[in-house]
Amino acid sequence: MTQDAAVITAKTPQEDAGLDAAEQAALDADIAVLQQGSRTWSALSVAQRITLLKALRSSAAATIEDWANTASDSKGLRPGHPLRGEEWLSGPYSVLGALDAYADTLTKLSEGRSALDGVKTGRAPGGRTKVDAFPLTGIDGFLLSGFTGEVWLRPGITPNTARSAAGLGQLAPAASGGVGLVLGAGNITSIPVLDVMYELLAHNRVALLKVNPTQDSLVPVYERALAPLIEPGFLRIVRGGPAVGAYLTGHPDLVHVHITGSAATFDTIVWGPSRGPKAGATTRRRRENRPLLQKPITAELGGVSPIIIVPGEWTDADITYQAEHVATMRLQNCGHNCIAGQVVILSADWPQAEQFRTALRRAYAGAPERPIWYPGSSARMHQAAEDYPDALVLADRLLIEVGEGQDATALESTEYFAPVLGVVELPGTGQEFLDAAVAHANEKLQGTLGANLLIDPATEQALGTGFERAIAELHYGSIAINGWTAFGFIIPTLTWGAFPGSTLDDVGSGLGVVHNALLLDGVERSIVRGPFRPFPRWVPDRILHPRSRSLSKGTILPTPPWFVSARTAAAVSEGLTRFRARGSVLGLVKTLLQALRA
């Protein structure tokens, strides 16, 4: 009852990492501590692990200000910058929410109940079981009103099987998973922590976390926030570049590797370098199916994410709002996100297509400027500008509108990891367009991590079962309907990872899942549904389109705080994180008043 991972059985020795004896000895000492920590972890009951999670929550809550400020400073967001709120939500807020959700799951298990006790399950298209994984608490239902989240399991898994299997490693807490290596992400500061937590709780595996060099300044914050894991030997944190990573991936006492990064880095770890004097040996290993890595590996590797715009009759306010929504999907964190929307798929036959294009240009150009800080992003932007010389070039972003007869291959096959947004057109309207857009996303766009879809309530209701059938055909690990898939990232009870089917030789967006605070087995995908219209414009829809699932209960938010256009985003994001950390009702009221001014 564990999540799928690729198991590697090749015997080829790991190549020399190039570290000196002292550096190797220091890493070996950390691993020795973790080996003892693995035995200690296996001796803890589930109830004792809950106590540890509560201590971890307290230590993490004590660091939230330093965490958010250090992250903002490291990305060049000066004090007072309107987008500093991103680092509150994508950093400490995400971690605190995950700790709460994991503690709730472990509490159920410690009391002899299923991890899905009190969680509704139902049926999804294709004989699938779905788990209604969000919201599960009253406060989440209030703060994020209008948003819901489902986890779809693989076809053939029944609700009863799902309930009995939920819990993963915590169903057998004494079974040690050994010591694993987590190669941390370099872009979002919660990712390394969330990956470590999943190793511990899903797999009973203590972790050596190697942070990406872009996150070096966060290490002192991590060490304080994660002290309850570090002190008993459940976690060690190290810095270093490729040499340290190469030494650790080949270390015989590390039994598993998890990486959040790029497919190119994954391939280098598994097969060897694709360039230089050793490239020939790498090619031979691939041809003979002899991976260099000799242990299991899981990975989250990003991709090119579509934003499908289903044509309908939109008001001017709808067009303005959804254009800002699309701009946010690309420009949050300056586009340095594995889940950033990159290709807008638009209907060429939509009467409002040109109006939407105009609004998108305005929203994309009008978002606050910020530094392009992630290594290599500027070079990828330059390449995109060369590939599409007619693109709209702004100071810190690029908008590519692929015209008739132009080749969209580069846009659709290159994860730019930079503020580069493209627009392509397909013919048709209604179900015809939706089916064509789904097929285009599946077949033309690189990767299967996340897909976004915007549809108005009247159109969704008119499509009926055809809409849900199309969603089932959209083969992505995270799907957001009238939302952004980053919302699925931040909800701990949803899952995060590629659509199943990747292999070592063709890894795509990765192998396995993370987050998954309900500890579900047999996951296929997660789906977020949000309101098409913000407060108060959604109110008439509840009367006119009662069968539209995207309406849910409506939302209290006029503009979500993660929108790059939200005027009070920084204050609201900070306030929500402080409320998550300390539960101050007065502080929450002030935050909500600021949200209404967004």
Side-chain angles (χ1 to χ4, degrees):
M1 297 190 301
T2 59
Q3 295 294 337
D4 288 345
V7 178
I8 301 155
T9 58
K11 303 297 183 182
T12 305
Q14 183 74 6
E15 298 171 4
D16 178 27
L19 297 181
D20 63 34
E23 292 171 315
Q24 293 186 22
L27 294 171
D28 290 346
D30 282 332
I31 294 170
V33 171
L34 289 168
Q35 287 181 307
Q36 177 57 49
S38 178
R39 292 187 284 273
T40 304
W41 178 258
S42 297
L44 295 182
S45 67
V46 175
Q48 289 172 318
R49 294 175 184 187
I50 297 168
T51 300
L52 180 66
L53 287 177
K54 292 178 179 178
L56 190 60
R57 191 193 193 286
S58 295
S59 62
T63 69
I64 58 173
E65 188 164 357
D66 285 347
W67 187 328
N69 288 337
T70 301
S72 297
D73 293 344
S74 73
K75 297 178 180 182
L77 298 176
R78 65 190 183 278
H81 194 285
L83 298 180
R84 281 174 74 97
E86 293 176 355
E87 299 309 314
W88 287 88
L89 290 182
S90 65
Y93 182 92
S94 296
V95 169
L96 291 171
L99 290 171
D100 289 341
Y102 280 128
D104 183 66
T105 292
L106 265 62
T107 297
K108 293 177 183 178
L109 294 172
S110 71
E111 296 171 351
R113 297 182 287 148
S114 166
L116 293 183
D117 188 33
V119 180
K120 293 181 180 179
T121 58
R123 306 304 293 176
R128 296 171 174 88
T129 291
K130 74 177 180 73
V131 178
D132 292 336
F134 182 86
L136 296 178
T137 68
I139 192 63
D140 282 340
F142 174 69
L143 292 179
L144 297 172
S145 58
F147 291 87
T148 60
E150 310 159 8
V151 178
W152 288 14
L153 306 182
R154 300 186 190 190
I157 298 176
T158 67
N160 285 340
T161 300
R163 290 184 182 279
S164 62
L168 297 178
Q170 299 312 298
L171 297 177
S176 173
V179 183
L181 171 65
V182 173
L183 298 174
N187 59 330
I188 297 294
T189 63
S190 63
I191 293 177
V193 180
L194 296 174
D195 290 350
V196 165
M197 294 306 304
Y198 198 65
E199 288 288 286
L200 272 174
L201 298 173
H203 305 296
N204 284 328
R205 198 156 46 225
V206 301
L208 177 65
L209 167 62
K210 191 197 87 65
V211 298
N212 188 291
T214 63
Q215 302 292 321
D216 278 353
S217 63
L218 266 294
V219 170
V221 177
Y222 288 154
E223 289 175 337
R224 294 190 348 255
L226 304 176
L229 297 180
I230 295 171
E231 291 165 2
F234 303 149
L235 172 67
R236 283 294 181 270
I237 303 174
V238 299
R239 296 177 173 93
V244 171
Y247 180 74
L248 293 174
T249 55
H251 201 288
D253 294 329
L254 296 176
V255 302
H256 180 273
V257 176
H258 178 77
I259 175 175
T260 299
S262 70
T265 301
F266 177 93
D267 286 344
T268 299
I269 292 170
V270 173
W271 301 103
S274 60
R275 298 179 181 178
K278 298 178 181 178
T282 299
T283 300
R284 286 193 297 275
R285 277 191 292 271
R286 277 186 175 273
R287 184 172 59 247
E288 299 167 3
N289 195 28
R290 295 185 297 104
L292 180 65
L293 191 66
Q294 300 181 45
K295 60 195 67 173
I297 183 169
T298 51
E300 189 268 275
L301 305 173
V304 175
S305 294
I307 308 168
I308 299 172
I309 310 294
V310 182
E313 294 184 14
W314 293 14
T315 67
D316 291 347
D318 293 337
I319 287 177
T320 297
Y321 178 82
Q322 296 298 351
E324 293 175 359
H325 198 176
V326 171
T328 295
M329 296 181 196
R330 179 73 261 184
L331 295 178
Q332 200 271 355
N333 198 29
C334 202
H336 307 320
N337 289 331
C338 58
I339 201 58
Q342 182 166 305
V343 177
V344 178
I345 302 178
L346 201 62
S347 166
D349 299 318
W350 185 28
Q352 294 178 289
E354 185 54 40
Q355 185 184 359
F356 183 80
R357 283 176 177 273
T358 300
L360 180 58
R361 296 181 198 117
R362 184 183 304 114
Y364 199 68
E369 291 188 15
R370 61 184 303 162
I372 298 170
W373 62 272
Y374 202 85
S377 293
S378 294
R380 287 187 291 273
M381 283 191 68
H382 180 72
Q383 183 62 52
E386 288 189 347
D387 290 339
Y388 298 97
D390 294 332
L392 176 63
V393 181
L394 303 169
D396 64 340
R397 63 203 67 165
L398 194 68
L399 180 61
I400 300 167
E401 298 186 56
V402 179
E404 185 176 356
Q406 278 190 295
D407 187 358
T409 301
L411 172 68
E412 295 178 334
S413 62
T414 305
E415 183 189 7
Y416 290 115
F417 214 71
V420 177
L421 179 66
V423 181
V424 300
E425 286 191 342
L426 298 177
T429 59
Q431 192 72 50
E432 177 191 10
F433 169 79
L434 178 57
D435 290 344
V438 167
H440 189 90
N442 286 341
E443 298 166 10
K444 299 292 187 181
L445 272 59
Q446 187 272 325
T448 62
L449 183 61
N452 312 276
L453 188 147
L454 303 179
I455 182 169
D456 67 273
T459 301
E460 181 186 341
Q461 186 166 300
L463 292 177
T465 58
F467 178 72
E468 289 299 311
R469 176 183 54 77
I471 296 302
E473 291 298 318
L474 191 55
H475 290 171
Y476 285 80
S478 181
I479 298 173
I481 302 166
N482 291 332
W484 176 28
T485 43
F487 192 87
F489 171 91
I490 209 172
I491 297 175
T493 47
L494 298 181
T495 59
W496 191 250
F499 192 82
S502 298
T503 64
L504 284 181
D505 195 45
D506 184 11
V507 71
S509 290
L511 302 162
V513 301
V514 290
H515 302 185
N516 188 24
L518 294 174
L519 299 177
L520 299 168
D521 197 20
V523 169
E524 183 183 70
R525 71 183 93 183
S526 288
I527 297 180
V528 170
R529 300 176 192 266
F532 178 75
R533 296 184 172 99
F535 178 83
R537 290 194 299 111
W538 61 265
V539 176
D541 291 330
R542 292 300 297 163
I543 301 171
L544 297 174
H545 309 292
R547 295 194 303 276
S548 172
R549 297 188 65 189
S550 294
L551 290 171
S552 186
K553 298 178 181 178
T555 177
I556 63 171
L557 298 172
T559 301
W562 52 88
F563 270 39
V564 292
S565 56
R567 293 191 299 264
T568 59
V572 172
S573 299
E574 178 180 345
L576 290 174
T577 307
R578 292 189 183 280
F579 174 75
R580 174 70 76 177
R582 304 189 178 97
S584 169
V585 175
L586 178 60
L588 178 61
V589 171
K590 293 179 179 178
T591 298
L592 293 178
L593 290 175
Q594 290 173 317
L596 293 174
R597 296 172 44 238

